[in-house]
């Protein structure tokens, strides 16, 4: 699960004295759309739902490899059919990239395949930075279509 992987990544960095690394780990239940995630130092994800783009205001843990009391926090996010989840690094938001209205780009690219939407987002950031990024600018898009094995409009059976 995501929490176990986060703890392993953290311990590996500490044991090898290799500094720190940010990351986001997700596990999505393919039947229910329940997303369990750990956010280690990244900005809040964006979610496009029913034509509206919003930040998903989840807790942000310290990056992997940073010595701190406590452990990583596993959080849950329920995806609905039709949701688009956009995961970003801080390079998509800082310095020259801050001039880009990412929510508008996400909204305007809603009909595009995730791969093409990623290209549009990164192109907008590269243009705003005049081709000179000072940090990594990475984006991953996940479209949730629901459980395609179940006929539309049916719910999973309740356990009794």
């Amino acid at each position: 699960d995501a929490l176990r992987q986060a703890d392993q990544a953290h311990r590996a960095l500490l044991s090898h004295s290799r500094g720190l690394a940010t990351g986001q780990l997700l596990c999505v239940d393919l039947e229910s759309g329940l997303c369990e995630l750990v956010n280690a130092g990244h900005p809040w994800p964006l979610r496009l739902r029913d034509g509206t783009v919003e930040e998903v205001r989840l807790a942000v843990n310290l990056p992997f490899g940073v010595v701190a009391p406590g452990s990583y926090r596993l959080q849950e996010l329920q995806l609905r059919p039709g949701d688009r989840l956009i995961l970003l690094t801080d390079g998509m938001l800082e310095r020259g990239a801050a001039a880009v209205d990412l929510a508008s780009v996400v909204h305007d690219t809603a009909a595009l395949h995730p791969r093409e939407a990623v290209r549009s987002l990164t192109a907008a950031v590269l243009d705003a930075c005049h081709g000179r990024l000072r940090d990594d600018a990475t984006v991953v898009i996940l479209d949730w279509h629901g459980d395609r094995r179940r006929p539309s409009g049916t719910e999973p059976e309740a356990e009794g």
Side-chain angles (χ1 to χ4, degrees):
D1 70 7
L3 188 57
R4 183 176 47 79
Q5 292 176 19
D7 288 333
Q8 289 176 341
H10 179 64
R11 285 195 309 272
L13 283 170
L14 289 175
S15 69
H16 295 292
S17 301
R18 295 288 184 194
L20 62 92
T22 61
Q24 297 181 81
L25 301 170
L26 290 85
C27 292
V28 178
D29 182 297
L30 297 179
E31 290 182 19
S32 69
L34 182 65
C35 176
E36 295 183 334
L37 62 97
V38 173
N39 185 334
H42 277 279
W44 289 320
L46 299 174
R47 179 180 54 212
L48 173 64
R49 176 178 282 168
D50 298 326
T52 301
V53 180
E54 62 184 348
E55 290 180 321
V56 180
R57 295 181 177 254
L58 300 169
V60 178
N61 294 283
L62 292 172
F64 303 122
V66 174
V67 178
S71 61
Y72 291 93
R73 180 174 170 191
L74 184 68
Q75 300 172 82
E76 292 183 349
L77 173 65
Q78 182 62 55
L79 298 174
R80 295 183 194 158
D83 279 357
R84 174 168 278 186
L85 188 63
I86 301 96
L87 306 171
L88 310 162
T89 62
D90 56 0
M92 291 292 293
L93 303 169
E94 295 177 346
R95 297 183 182 91
V100 178
D101 182 353
L102 291 178
S104 290
V105 178
V106 168
H107 184 270
D108 293 347
T109 59
L112 296 180
H113 186 280
R115 178 180 51 245
E116 297 305 320
V118 164
R119 286 183 181 146
S120 294
L121 284 161
T122 55
V125 167
L126 274 171
D127 287 347
C129 295
H130 307 290
R132 293 185 299 273
L133 294 174
R134 295 185 184 198
D135 196 359
D136 70 293
T138 304
V139 60
V140 174
I141 293 180
L142 168 72
D143 281 353
W144 174 251
H145 299 287
D147 184 356
R148 293 184 177 192
R149 295 171 294 183
R150 188 177 343 152
S152 179
T154 63
E155 294 297 319
E157 292 182 29
E159 295 182 20

